[in-house]
Amino acid sequence: MWVAVAGCCHGELDKIYETLALAERRGPGPVDLLLCCGDFQAVRNEADLRCMAVPPKYRHMQTFYRYYSGEKKAPVLTLFIGGNHEASNHLQELPYGGWVAPNIYYLGLAGVVKYRGVRIGGISGIFKSHDYRKGHFECPPYNSSTIRSIYHVRNIEVYKLKQLKQPIDIFLSHDWPRSIYHYGNKKQLLKTKSFFRQEVENNTLGSPAASELLEHLKPTYWFSAHLHVKFAALMQHQAKDKGQTARATKFLALDKCLPHRDFLQILEIEHDPSAPDYLEYDIEWLTILRATDDLISVTGHLWNMPENNGLHARWDYSATEEGMKDMLEKLNHDLKVPCNFSVTAACYDPGKPQTQIQLIHRINPQTTEFCAQLGITDINVRLQKSKEEHHVCGEYEEQDDVESNDSGEDRSEYNTDTSALSSINPDEIMLDEEEEDEDSIVSAHSDMNTPSVEPSDQASEFSASFSDVRILPGSMIVSSDDTVDSTVDREGKPGGTVESGNGEDLTKVPLKRLSDEHEPEQRKKIKRRNQAIYAAVDDDDDDAA
């Protein structure tokens, strides 16, 4: 089946679907599925805008509300994860995932689903070491600290994903797995994004939690966004046992949805022709959710996940055959994700703007139904009870902007905070940067995003609105020349030709790329061999947008 992958969406649903329609007309035909790698911005109304971690001047309604209201319907099944620029109050209603609009599905804080036999997992948010070991204590109305900590990845989500044993086909994360740059054309990446150099050399760019998941899950594909640059890599994993075939992960990061940016990619993914063409729950994941329900925390206190270190009675929460059988019976052997979207908040009306809509901590009926089916607790219900008893939502108000600079003690098991780039990042949107021009260079002391430059690619001969569908150079294969001087301290070696799970040479995998608009005529002289990485920019707060 044909799968489209988008980088940072920033609420530009109309533009993404229009670009996809053009790709379908000029490419292989209808796309079956669209995957979005964060900063989706499912903004329903003015109150949702106030829950986005961007300065007021960057809070724009965009077009999602039209899909939420039913005025428009997504032309293709759309799955997305959260990034660091979201209507966090909306996504918080669906911690285990759910429909944010008809045909648009959020994977939750972490999640795994199936579509036509393809197993798709993802984790929302970005990594911040000082929040990693906290519970999900935030709730609206957010203060200047919790409006950002709400989207920081927690160890409980990584722990649950690490209980998975069955193979994953596709995995989505917003920020990159740390060290992935060693497996691609690092030289070209640093040429395009020179301010990454220090982090790359120190091996601190990206998320160590995502890197841990990459090594554990070894998915066939891993897609990311956040740094606003197109970058392909191929990671060869080591086989656990002799005689086993070593698995490989094809990594692709994409840009944000803007003119001249490489934000969309179309791939052909193998699927099961006999599998249903609707979204299904993953039985192993549901079993893990049920098993780990008692591990959920809704406080801001630091804590560690159970380990096999003699301190915990139980540390293995992986799904057993018996557990999965019980779960199937609970669901009456029906794994279809119900189309039970419901409107839970007033929708934006361009003719009647309402700037004073009250922020409410809502319980979403989708989550209520899901938790009842599985026999687990809705995090928001637990959070509301804790709020009533201990006022937990306001407990950390005094922290305010502390987490924007992780200069204090690192309380995570990871010894480096990856969220803030130490280099100066032009074209960055900062929470504290409200008076500066959008394109100004921001100070280096706070959390940074990643700038972008226009991609040096051949000019398109198509319309002024969109560019052509082109083959990704080298089909995501990185030659050994591209990875010289890349010291890799993780599994596998960069470079080389690797076979996919079906024995197919990865260099033959058809991959097509889209960017937003045709590019200036003078770009035609750029040689194809220099196009393995398409550059781009960013514009946000905590980590790249």
Side-chain angles (χ1 to χ4, degrees):
M1 67 177 181
W2 292 100
V3 175
V5 185
C8 297
C9 300
H10 293 295
E12 296 282 7
L13 273 184
D14 281 356
K15 177 64 75 175
I16 290 172
Y17 290 137
E18 288 168 10
T19 307
L20 194 55
L22 178 68
E24 290 176 333
R25 292 196 299 271
R26 303 188 184 279
V31 167
D32 301 280
L33 181 66
L34 171 64
L35 305 175
C36 301
C37 299
D39 285 356
F40 189 80
Q41 297 183 5
V43 178
R44 303 165 294 186
N45 53 40
E46 293 89 343
D48 287 357
L49 278 180
R50 302 202 303 272
C51 294
M52 283 177 52
V54 295
K57 67 178 180 180
Y58 296 117
R59 292 173 184 163
H60 305 297
M61 194 60 62
Q62 303 294 34
T63 57
F64 169 79
Y65 74 93
R66 299 180 185 275
Y67 298 85
Y68 181 76
S69 69
E71 176 186 342
K72 292 187 174 184
K73 183 178 179 180
V76 60
L77 176 61
T78 302
L79 269 60
F80 75 96
I81 55 167
N84 57 312
H85 299 290
E86 304 289 358
S88 295
N89 61 322
H90 185 190
L91 299 190
Q92 186 171 357
E93 295 178 18
L94 301 165
Y96 302 110
W99 302 102
V100 297
N103 223 28
I104 303 178
Y105 190 85
Y106 168 53
L107 274 177
L109 294 167
V112 183
V113 293
K114 283 184 178 179
Y115 181 69
R116 302 184 73 179
V118 177
R119 201 165 185 231
I120 304 165
I123 188 166
S124 294
I126 59 171
F127 178 83
K128 281 276 193 173
S129 62
H130 51 273
D131 286 328
Y132 185 65
R133 291 166 55 210
K134 294 179 182 177
H136 295 291
F137 68 91
E138 304 90 345
C139 66
Y142 307 114
N143 59 46
S144 57
S145 174
T146 57
I147 197 172
R148 285 170 285 180
S149 65
I150 180 67
Y151 55 73
H152 293 160
V153 171
R154 304 298 155 90
N155 57 355
I156 178 63
E157 311 306 335
V158 174
Y159 185 78
K160 287 188 285 189
L161 287 166
K162 287 184 68 178
Q163 305 304 309
L164 292 167
K165 305 297 183 186
Q166 298 173 7
I168 292 284
D169 299 302
I170 296 173
F171 196 84
L172 310 177
S173 69
H174 188 57
D175 44 2
W176 298 14
R178 182 181 289 183
S179 300
I180 195 63
Y181 33 82
H182 292 310
Y183 296 86
N185 193 334
K186 185 171 63 176
K187 182 178 180 181
Q188 178 63 31
L189 175 65
L190 295 180
K191 183 178 179 181
T192 302
K193 301 275 191 177
S194 58
F195 38 83
F196 288 170
R197 183 170 297 278
Q198 181 179 344
E199 286 72 30
V200 169
E201 290 177 352
N202 295 337
N203 202 34
T204 57
L205 180 66
S207 165
S211 183
E212 186 178 330
L213 285 173
L214 173 59
E215 292 181 2
H216 175 80
L217 298 173
K218 300 177 176 63
T220 306
Y221 293 93
W222 186 298
F223 301 120
S224 298
H226 193 47
L227 297 185
H228 294 181
V229 62
K230 186 172 186 178
F231 178 76
L234 181 64
M235 183 173 182
Q236 177 70 58
H237 302 283
Q238 293 178 342
K240 288 185 178 180
D241 302 314
K242 292 182 179 179
Q244 280 190 341
T245 303
R247 300 177 64 181
T249 296
K250 288 161 276 189
F251 173 84
L252 184 65
L254 291 165
D255 206 339
K256 62 179 176 179
C257 182
L258 277 180
H260 306 295
R261 305 298 182 85
D262 294 288
F263 69 88
L264 197 64
Q265 184 86 22
I266 297 178
L267 309 91
E268 187 173 20
I269 304 289
E270 286 194 10
H271 70 286
D272 180 358
S274 63
D277 60 353
Y278 51 76
L279 202 60
E280 293 182 287
Y281 290 125
D282 182 85
I283 193 63
E284 184 187 18
W285 177 247
L286 296 186
T287 307
I288 290 168
L289 286 182
R290 187 182 181 190
T292 56
D293 185 53
D294 290 339
L295 297 179
I296 298 296
S297 168
V298 293
T299 76
H301 303 304
L302 304 175
W303 66 306
N304 295 317
M305 292 295 104
E307 296 180 61
N308 185 10
N309 56 8
L311 300 177
H312 303 94
R314 182 181 180 183
W315 58 87
D316 183 357
Y317 290 83
S318 57
T320 63
E321 290 295 330
E322 183 180 355
M324 289 188 283
K325 182 180 178 181
D326 288 345
M327 181 57 67
L328 268 175
E329 290 177 358
K330 252 186 178 300
L331 300 176
N332 295 319
H333 294 265
D334 181 11
L335 292 176
K336 181 179 181 179
V337 176
C339 297
N340 57 351
F341 165 73
S342 62
V343 172
T344 56
C347 189
Y348 172 69
D349 183 349
K352 298 178 182 179
Q354 301 182 48
T355 57
Q356 301 303 319
I357 297 179
Q358 185 179 0
L359 279 170
I360 301 173
H361 184 203
R362 289 186 171 87
I363 303 298
N364 193 298
Q366 290 185 70
T367 304
T368 301
E369 181 181 337
F370 180 82
C371 292
Q373 277 189 302
L374 268 63
I376 61 177
T377 305
D378 183 347
I379 292 175
N380 289 298
V381 171
R382 193 176 296 180
L383 186 57
Q384 283 191 355
K385 289 181 179 177
S386 294
K387 179 183 178 182
E388 293 168 1
E389 295 172 5
H390 308 293
H391 306 287
V392 69
C393 291
E395 186 176 349
Y396 298 90
E397 191 163 353
E398 71 279 2
Q399 290 183 3
D400 272 349
D401 299 325
V402 171
E403 42 79 58
S404 66
N405 186 351
D406 191 37
S407 57
E409 180 187 1
D410 189 344
R411 294 162 289 178
S412 164
E413 62 263 44
Y414 300 114
N415 58 11
T416 310
D417 185 0
T418 66
S419 59
L421 300 180
S422 61
S423 317
I424 290 180
N425 179 10
D427 190 30
E428 171 70 18
I429 293 181
M430 310 290 293
L431 273 178
D432 301 327
E433 178 260 318
E434 299 190 12
E435 305 300 328
E436 300 296 326
D437 181 76
E438 179 178 1
D439 295 323
S440 63
I441 296 180
V442 299
S443 61
H445 72 277
S446 28
D447 294 313
M448 306 245 167
N449 270 12
T450 324
S452 47
V453 295
E454 291 186 0
S456 55
D457 197 4
Q458 289 182 324
S460 165
E461 296 179 357
F462 292 135
S463 71
S465 297
F466 308 100
S467 73
D468 193 1
V469 181
R470 282 160 285 191
I471 301 298
L472 178 67
S475 296
M476 293 180 68
I477 291 301
V478 183
S479 70
S480 57
D481 292 337
D482 290 331
T483 53
V484 290
D485 301 326
S486 296
T487 304
V488 180
D489 58 358
R490 297 189 175 270
E491 301 176 8
K493 298 179 182 179
T497 299
V498 180
E499 290 186 351
S500 61
N502 59 2
E504 180 181 336
D505 189 334
L506 296 185
T507 58
K508 297 177 182 177
V509 176
L511 297 175
K512 303 188 176 181
R513 94 117 170 132
L514 284 171
S515 73
D516 225 25
E517 297 186 2
H518 82 287
E519 296 164 18
E521 193 68 22
Q522 61 265 30
R523 299 184 192 277
K524 286 187 175 180
K525 295 181 181 179
I526 301 296
K527 295 181 180 180
R528 288 301 291 184
R529 67 170 178 265
N530 293 329
Q531 296 171 28
I533 301 296
Y534 298 88
V537 195
D538 158 300
D539 61 44
D540 294 281
D541 139 60
D542 259 314
D543 284 354

